[in-house]
Amino acid sequence: MTSPFDLTGRIALVTGSSRGIGRSIADGLADAGATIVLNGVDAGRLESACTDLAEKHGADRVHARAFDITDGESVDQAIQWIESHVGPIDILFNNAGVQHRQPLVDVSLDDWRRVIDIDVTGAFLVGRTVARGMIDRGAGKIVNICSVQSDLARPTIGPYTAAKGALRNLTRAMTAEWARHGLQVNGIAPGYIHTEMTQNLVDDEEFNAWILGRTPAGRWGSVADIVGPAVWLASQASNYVNGQVIFVDGGMSVVV
């Protein structure tokens, strides 16, 4: 019998996948058999990631397309190119996102808009464009990478908290409209994950101690911790899971 987690023959687009969580998700999907399309705005970093993953999985199963997820025209052109040159997108991970650390009273309107545009509007634009093809085909998997901050808040990350809360409800809105067409739309909400982008927080002794004490698992998450849930939500094993946000946070969100 074929495993319900087997992604052989599926085509997956992962935004923001030249490094960090996105790259690990793309790698994990490819390990499960998928053909992957990487995305980013830094062409050099994207090309490097594509080369590395192609060496592991084969050049025929690893592709890359640099485009700005906040630009509707660029998104339309990129999705059209992917579906023409690689194939119809079966799986989409809206992973691209940014953080901004500053007290709310000091946040500029430009910085507020930048976080909202990338973390929410980008997911809407890419999700909407990809969903049109999925709806026509009667099947598709969309996974939005939310955050523990979709439900929680802490000082100095107000724009990010607002954006990730909106992304949680965008996941529900997508489900309400697209589930009837055979799509499953869900989210993954990582807790504090140790990546190159959070290394400065890990190195902060006071903050690191707070994380270790605040998280029941007693450790930071790793990018590998996200891969299993990602493959599950991308696979046939989750065909009746819809509109859910799965917290992968070591228990942080369930304790006070």
Side-chain angles (χ1 to χ4, degrees):
M1 294 180 62
T2 301
S3 166
F5 301 98
D6 184 11
L7 300 180
T8 300
R10 305 296 180 87
I11 295 173
L13 168 62
V14 184
T15 67
S17 49
S18 62
R19 62 178 178 174
I21 290 174
R23 175 170 170 160
S24 291
I25 288 172
D27 190 17
L29 298 176
D31 280 338
T35 293
I36 57 174
V37 182
L38 307 178
N39 157 264
V41 291
D42 185 319
R45 190 163 59 210
L46 185 62
E47 181 180 358
S48 177
C50 185
T51 299
D52 289 346
L53 292 179
E55 289 178 357
K56 177 179 179 182
H57 301 291
D60 60 324
R61 291 206 296 120
V62 180
H63 307 267
R65 179 75 178 190
F67 64 93
D68 181 355
I69 64 168
T70 69
D71 184 314
E73 184 176 350
S74 294
V75 169
D76 290 344
Q77 291 174 352
I79 301 309
Q80 183 178 26
W81 181 90
I82 293 167
E83 300 213 326
S84 296
H85 290 79
V86 183
I89 297 169
D90 302 294
I91 301 160
L92 167 65
F93 275 79
N94 282 313
N95 169 74
V98 295
Q99 175 64 283
H100 183 79
R101 301 181 186 280
Q102 191 176 25
L104 271 173
V105 293
D106 298 322
V107 173
S108 70
L109 183 56
D110 285 344
D111 284 331
W112 172 270
R113 286 175 171 163
R114 180 176 64 91
V115 175
I116 298 298
D117 281 352
I118 294 173
D119 292 9
V120 184
T121 306
F124 160 69
L125 289 173
V126 180
R128 178 186 64 175
T129 305
V130 172
R132 288 169 177 156
M134 291 178 169
I135 289 169
D136 287 343
R137 295 186 291 272
K141 302 277 187 174
I142 297 177
V143 183
N144 297 321
I145 301 303
C146 300
S147 167
V148 69
Q149 307 301 341
S150 295
D151 271 9
L152 304 177
R154 63 182 311 274
T156 75
I157 57 171
Y160 183 82
T161 301
K164 291 301 185 177
L167 187 57
R168 175 196 58 194
N169 271 2
L170 178 61
T171 302
R172 294 168 174 169
M174 289 174 169
T175 296
E177 296 197 19
W178 301 340
R180 68 175 67 94
H181 300 290
L183 279 64
Q184 289 83 52
V185 186
N186 294 287
I188 294 176
Y192 283 84
I193 307 297
H194 186 175
T195 68
E196 60 187 273
M197 290 177 281
T198 59
Q199 185 61 53
N200 62 323
L201 298 178
V202 176
D203 292 339
D204 183 323
E205 292 185 6
E206 182 178 356
F207 190 84
N208 182 61
W210 180 79
I211 291 293
L212 298 182
R214 180 68 175 77
T215 306
R219 67 175 178 87
W220 286 74
S222 71
V223 290
D225 291 320
I226 308 299
V227 173
V231 171
W232 169 56
L233 289 177
S235 75
Q236 299 301 303
S238 61
N239 275 355
Y240 201 55
V241 180
N242 229 324
Q244 303 304 305
V245 176
I246 310 301
F247 281 72
V248 185
D249 64 356
M252 173 178 278
S253 59
V254 301
V255 298
V256 295

